[in-house]
Amino acid sequence: MKKKREYSVPIREQMVPWLFLLPSLLFVSIMVLIPMLDALRRSFFLAAGDRFVGFQNYLSVLRNHAFQLAAANTAKFILVCIPLLLLFSLAVSLMLASFREKRGIFKTSFLVPMAVPVASIVLLWRVIFHKNGLLNALTALWGLVPVDWIGSKAAFGVLVFAYLWKNFGYDMVLWLSGLSAINPALYEAAQIDGAGSLQRFVRITLPNLMPTLFTITVLSLLNSFKVFREAYLIAGGYPDDSIYMLQHLFNNWYGNLDVDKMCAGAVMMAILVFILILLLEKIMNRGDRI
């Protein structure tokens, strides 16, 4: 048998893709990779000097009461918000999937919160949730006692509501894109075989939405760390203990020039988020194999 002739790509042609990627790689390296490596280096040194202290900064952060409070609140916020956001956005997207003609109008209306500036959102929340705001004015009509929604334990509920309101439309659009990729012939065949709505959802819709579920979960996890802007503008750098997040702690450390603690905490948080994403990917892949 004659061997197939192998064609080697000239080096000039191999360099063309890298030349197009070079500006992006330089920008990412300067703005992301190099600062990350510098933060990793600083986490092993004292902020006041250049003395190597090993894992002393990490131990100091783990023993810090403010870090324990912020980590617990952040974990609680993620465990509450992400399941609510996934379920609520999926339920609405399933309902909108049946309105094929007017679905674009609903998609646009639900995406409006993403276009509203954060400062305007904060002003709206203050008007509604202030102790003398609209919500307490409405509850006063039924003789209820006014609640300090921002300066009490109720602030956690306000923050959850703000996160859901801000990210709901984005997740809903992603769910709709996943639903539109499912072959309609699968539903028709299942309906002919006598499968009900629940069976079609469990046997067809959910398995085909697993890649979309992974993407939405990861994006929702990353977006949950961006709620600091709203919390900071509403309640300041030292809010009620129920909404004192890791971002508040890092911001206060930065203001106090505790760079060593801030870098150590940031490295631990980055590693934890990376591990969570790997676990999610492993769980999703296991579900696909089953």
Side-chain angles (χ1 to χ4, degrees):
M1 295 178 63
K2 295 183 179 180
K3 294 184 178 179
K4 293 183 179 179
R5 186 177 178 182
E6 296 181 358
Y7 296 93
S8 59
V9 181
I11 298 178
R12 182 178 298 179
E13 294 184 9
Q14 294 180 8
M15 294 297 296
V16 170
W18 291 103
L19 290 176
F20 282 106
L21 290 173
L22 184 60
S24 298
L25 291 176
L26 288 176
F27 182 80
V28 171
S29 299
I30 295 174
M31 303 300 296
V32 178
L33 297 180
I34 294 177
M36 286 178 60
L37 294 176
D38 183 63
L40 179 62
R41 183 192 66 83
R42 289 174 180 271
S43 66
F44 295 102
F45 290 84
L46 285 178
D50 208 13
R51 185 165 64 89
F52 180 78
V53 293
F55 290 96
Q56 180 178 338
N57 291 330
Y58 292 89
L59 295 176
S60 177
V61 169
L62 291 174
R63 294 168 182 167
N64 189 284
H65 175 70
F67 178 80
Q68 295 173 3
L69 175 65
N73 288 335
T74 304
K76 178 183 176 183
F77 180 80
I78 292 173
L79 292 175
V80 171
C81 286
I82 292 183
L84 286 176
L85 180 62
L86 293 178
L87 293 174
F88 188 44
S89 59
L90 176 59
V92 175
S93 62
L94 289 172
M95 289 188 293
L96 290 181
S98 59
F99 300 102
R100 297 186 179 275
E101 297 181 356
K102 298 182 179 180
R103 187 169 56 185
I105 300 175
F106 291 102
K107 287 168 62 176
T108 304
S109 61
F110 284 123
L111 285 174
V112 168
M114 298 191 64
V116 180
V118 176
S120 302
I121 296 174
V122 170
L123 180 61
L124 177 63
W125 294 157
R126 285 183 177 179
V127 171
I128 296 175
F129 295 106
H130 193 268
K131 191 172 182 179
N132 298 320
L134 294 177
L135 185 58
N136 282 329
L138 291 175
T139 57
L141 298 176
W142 286 275
L144 298 177
V145 179
V147 178
D148 188 4
W149 296 98
I150 297 176
S152 64
K153 298 294 182 182
F156 183 81
V158 175
L159 194 61
V160 170
F161 174 79
Y163 172 80
L164 296 177
W165 182 81
K166 182 77 174 178
N167 297 279
F168 164 75
Y170 182 65
D171 285 11
M172 184 200 65
V173 171
L174 294 178
W175 282 124
L176 286 174
S177 64
L179 290 171
S180 62
I182 302 176
N183 190 353
L186 297 175
Y187 294 103
E188 296 175 1
Q191 192 171 6
I192 292 173
D193 292 337
S197 301
L198 182 60
Q199 290 178 321
R200 293 197 299 269
F201 176 75
V202 174
R203 299 292 184 179
I204 299 175
T205 305
L206 279 183
N208 286 278
L209 286 179
M210 293 304 288
T212 307
L213 174 61
F214 172 74
T215 303
I216 295 177
T217 304
V218 172
L219 292 176
S220 300
L221 175 64
L222 298 178
N223 288 332
S224 65
F225 292 99
K226 299 178 182 179
V227 78
F228 166 72
R229 295 175 300 176
E230 289 83 353
Y232 181 80
L233 292 175
I234 290 176
Y238 294 93
D240 185 77
D241 289 348
S242 61
I243 59 171
Y244 189 75
M245 303 291 182
L246 284 173
Q247 296 89 338
H248 289 94
L249 181 63
F250 293 157
N251 181 72
N252 295 333
W253 277 344
Y254 179 79
N256 296 329
L257 298 180
D258 292 329
V259 182
D260 46 1
K261 294 181 181 179
M262 183 181 66
C263 290
V267 170
M268 288 191 293
M269 188 177 72
I271 293 174
L272 180 60
V273 172
F274 181 71
I275 292 174
L276 288 176
I277 294 175
L278 291 180
L279 289 176
L280 285 172
E281 184 179 10
K282 186 175 181 180
I283 293 172
M284 299 298 178
N285 291 335
R286 183 183 301 175
D288 290 342
R289 288 194 298 268
I290 293 175

